Amino acid sequence: MWVSLRNISKIRPWLSFSLKRLSSMVKIHDCLVDELPHIEISTNPYELEAHGRGESYHPIASPSAVVNPSSVDEVIQVINLCSKYQIPIIPYGAGTSVEGHICAIEGGISMDMAKFDSIELYKRNDGILDPMAKVGSGVTKNRLNDEVRHSGMQFVVDPGADATIGGMTACGASGTSAVKYGSMRNNILGLECVLPDGTFVKCGTAALKNSAGYDLTSLITGSEGTLGVITSVLVKLHPIPEHIVSALCVFDDLFKAAEAVAMLKLRDSPLARCELLDKTSISAFNRYSKTSGNSSHEKMEEKPTLFLEFHGYSKKSIEDNIEFVKKICVEDYDALNFTFTSGEEERKSLWAARHNLYYASISLRKGATGAIVTDACVPLSSFARLMTKTAEDIRNLDVVGPCFGHAGDGNFHCVLPVLEDDSEDYLGRLQQVNDNLIRRALEAGGTCSGEHGIGYGKIKYLSHQYGSGGLHMMKL
């Protein structure tokens, strides 16, 4: 029997967990200071709260202490000590997760990996560059790209938020570029981590393929800190395209827009990004750009819209690709118009606004500071039905919630803003949208989370997605 989310979780975002007691905080702090005096430790209330807060509606659950190791040896020492005294550990990157991953619901410490900030390019003695980099787990996605840009290479996984490479690996992140380049799983060759018993492990190799032993890299990727603390990641790099063009394609009908995406993929269209926004998303987009002072943004027609991007090594190849995609959208799926630009400033403004859509969505309800964020992913054949049914639920239940997502891989989000004084009835309707969405996704053979991970917010759905056998295997 399907268990409704409304009957499981009615936690309001402004309530704090009261799971830690002052005595336990003092004991943990004293234990760390006494036995590991050389490692930086903080119990500053503001820092504790910052390390127990994600980017969602989940309530703050602060750790008892924040530990800042600066080497693998220090990570091992902290893990051994915590194992000795049964103290929970939560690895911390940038705090951009949305499913309560960093909340210390069992107390314990937050292990901040910010000092693991090295970036090492692979070069031969003659200067030839291998398309990869060994990156400290605390390095953010934007900093990595800033550091490697001189080489003509880039790291392509783009979740929107400036997350750390360690956090993106732990959650199996992806984003707007996944339609061409795939998720983190497709862009990692290896990693290094420390297991719960203090063992240091190297997973994977610098070879582009590897068939030796278990695929430990994939096992750790997406494990969300439950199997070990990631200290470095060997990521793939890709050449920066010589020519980039962004396009907008407007539709009257959301279902047809989503069906057009499925056909584009079926026809193997060369898309680098493919995002679908419903009309509420475009409304939020326009409103947020105006209130945030983005004068470079032109008001968009408030109808379902595809955001597209094309990469190529000649203008001619991109022109051919655009014409191919335009023909399918306009002639086969009744798109109203198709516009494109190769101007760098226009492209950057467009995608920056797309990445700010979470905050634009929250701003649709005055006073909202958080939101329930859905993350379903389904086979492309089911994408149009799932997205339109969710939009119908939002209208019928009379709640606010833009729908948008990475249409090219069947992954989409619905951002449902939450207010502190929302009634139980309104909260229940929000949860019903999420409940219905996940149920339909699983019935279609999809997943409750395409890229955000499980945290504790979606853990209740794992038994529905994998069954008792899958859960048993995860617990072994």
Side-chain angles (χ1 to χ4, degrees):
M1 178 182 294
W2 184 264
V3 181
S4 173
L5 181 60
R6 287 171 292 165
N7 298 325
I8 298 175
S9 175
K10 291 186 178 179
I11 299 173
R12 291 173 178 251
W14 58 94
L15 296 178
S16 295
F17 281 105
S18 58
L19 296 173
K20 63 183 187 302
R21 293 185 296 273
L22 180 60
S23 59
S24 65
M25 291 177 63
V26 172
K27 288 178 181 178
I28 290 175
H29 176 265
D30 290 348
C31 176
L32 292 168
V33 170
D34 291 345
E35 301 200 32
L36 301 173
H38 55 290
I39 297 178
E40 182 181 330
I41 300 166
S42 174
T43 54
N44 180 294
Y46 297 104
E47 192 166 355
L48 295 181
E49 181 175 314
H51 283 73
R53 177 201 300 272
E55 290 279 349
S56 74
Y57 75 107
H58 295 291
I60 299 170
S62 301
S64 298
V66 176
V67 179
N68 298 271
S70 59
S71 68
V72 171
D73 283 343
E74 290 188 355
V75 171
I76 293 172
Q77 291 170 33
V78 172
I79 287 179
N80 284 337
L81 182 67
C82 289
S83 177
K84 176 181 176 182
Y85 293 106
Q86 295 293 288
I87 300 171
I89 301 174
I90 302 171
Y92 181 91
T96 57
S97 56
V98 296
E99 288 298 344
H101 298 75
I102 61 174
C103 295
I105 59 175
E106 298 291 343
I109 69 165
S110 174
M111 184 179 287
D112 193 319
M113 303 302 288
K115 293 182 178 180
F116 286 74
D117 58 357
S118 62
I119 299 174
E120 178 186 348
L121 292 174
Y122 274 60
K123 284 185 179 180
R124 291 191 338 210
N125 291 333
D126 58 5
I128 298 297
L129 180 70
D130 276 315
M132 63 188 73
K134 184 178 180 181
V135 183
S137 59
V139 174
T140 64
K141 177 246 325 177
N142 288 349
R143 185 184 154 227
L144 173 58
N145 276 324
D146 288 342
E147 293 284 341
V148 303
R149 186 172 290 114
H150 72 279
S151 68
M153 307 293 284
Q154 63 177 339
F155 178 67
V156 294
V157 181
D158 184 12
D162 191 19
T164 63
I165 300 302
M168 291 168 66
T169 301
C171 292
S174 61
T176 59
S177 60
V179 64
K180 178 175 182 177
Y181 297 104
S183 67
M184 284 299 289
R185 293 183 186 278
N186 306 111
N187 287 277
I188 299 174
L189 291 168
L191 56 83
E192 296 177 345
C193 66
V194 181
L195 302 182
D197 66 353
T199 302
F200 175 67
V201 178
K202 292 184 177 182
C203 306
T205 72
L208 294 179
K209 62 180 182 179
N210 175 23
S211 187
Y214 293 130
D215 187 357
L216 299 178
T217 302
S218 292
L219 181 63
I220 298 297
T221 303
S223 63
E224 303 183 24
T226 60
L227 299 179
V229 176
I230 298 169
T231 57
S232 69
V233 185
L234 183 61
V235 299
K236 294 180 183 178
L237 300 177
H238 296 266
I240 298 173
E242 293 184 20
H243 299 278
I244 303 175
V245 173
S246 293
L248 293 176
C249 187
V250 181
F251 294 79
D252 253 334
D253 184 75
L254 181 61
F255 188 87
K256 281 194 173 183
E259 286 280 85
V261 173
M263 180 54 68
L264 290 174
K265 287 293 291 179
L266 191 63
R267 297 288 297 276
D268 198 24
S269 302
L271 298 168
R273 299 178 195 252
C274 180
E275 301 287 293
L276 175 58
L277 284 66
D278 72 355
K279 66 179 182 180
T280 306
S281 298
I282 300 297
S283 176
F285 189 89
N286 286 331
R287 177 176 168 178
Y288 188 73
S289 296
K290 182 179 180 180
T291 57
S292 62
N294 184 3
S295 58
S296 63
H297 170 68
E298 295 184 8
K299 184 176 181 180
M300 297 174 59
E301 191 173 5
E302 294 182 1
K303 293 185 176 182
T305 303
L306 284 177
F307 285 35
L308 305 171
E309 189 166 276
F310 303 85
H311 296 171
Y313 293 95
S314 72
K315 291 183 179 179
K316 180 65 168 60
S317 67
I318 289 186
E319 288 172 357
D320 290 344
N321 293 340
I322 290 174
E323 191 59 36
F324 177 72
V325 170
K326 179 180 178 181
K327 183 177 180 180
I328 291 175
C329 291
V330 174
E331 295 184 8
D332 298 340
Y333 292 93
D334 303 325
L336 301 177
N337 58 60
F338 190 104
T339 59
F340 56 90
T341 179
S342 59
E344 184 175 1
E345 289 305 314
E346 294 94 330
R347 288 191 295 101
K348 286 184 176 180
S349 175
L350 181 68
W351 290 106
R354 162 60 186 89
H355 287 320
N356 283 328
L357 197 47
Y358 171 77
Y359 301 104
S361 300
I362 290 177
S363 72
L364 287 176
R365 296 191 71 202
K366 187 177 180 180
T369 56
I372 298 172
V373 184
T374 73
D375 183 38
C377 188
V378 293
L380 280 174
S381 59
S382 300
F383 180 71
R385 175 183 173 274
L386 185 71
M387 194 165 187
T388 52
K389 284 289 186 182
T390 301
E392 287 175 11
D393 277 352
I394 289 169
R395 288 194 300 272
N396 294 337
L397 291 167
D398 193 25
V399 298
V400 176
C403 293
F404 58 92
H406 319 307
D409 55 17
N411 185 197
F412 86 96
H413 311 301
C414 183
V415 178
L416 305 165
V418 179
L419 298 178
E420 290 191 6
D421 58 354
D422 274 333
S423 67
E424 290 296 330
D425 174 69
Y426 190 84
L427 289 175
R429 282 181 276 143
L430 291 182
Q431 302 289 16
Q432 187 176 347
V433 172
N434 193 25
D435 192 26
N436 290 346
L437 167 61
I438 294 176
R439 173 175 49 79
R440 291 180 186 127
L442 298 187
E443 288 173 352
T447 175
C448 64
S449 180
E451 60 184 11
H452 292 166
I454 296 299
Y456 78 84
K458 283 192 170 72
I459 197 168
K460 61 183 72 70
Y461 297 114
L462 284 181
S463 60
H464 295 287
Q465 182 164 323
Y466 295 121
S468 58
L471 285 184
H472 173 71
M473 186 173 180
M474 292 182 194
K475 293 175 180 179
L476 290 176

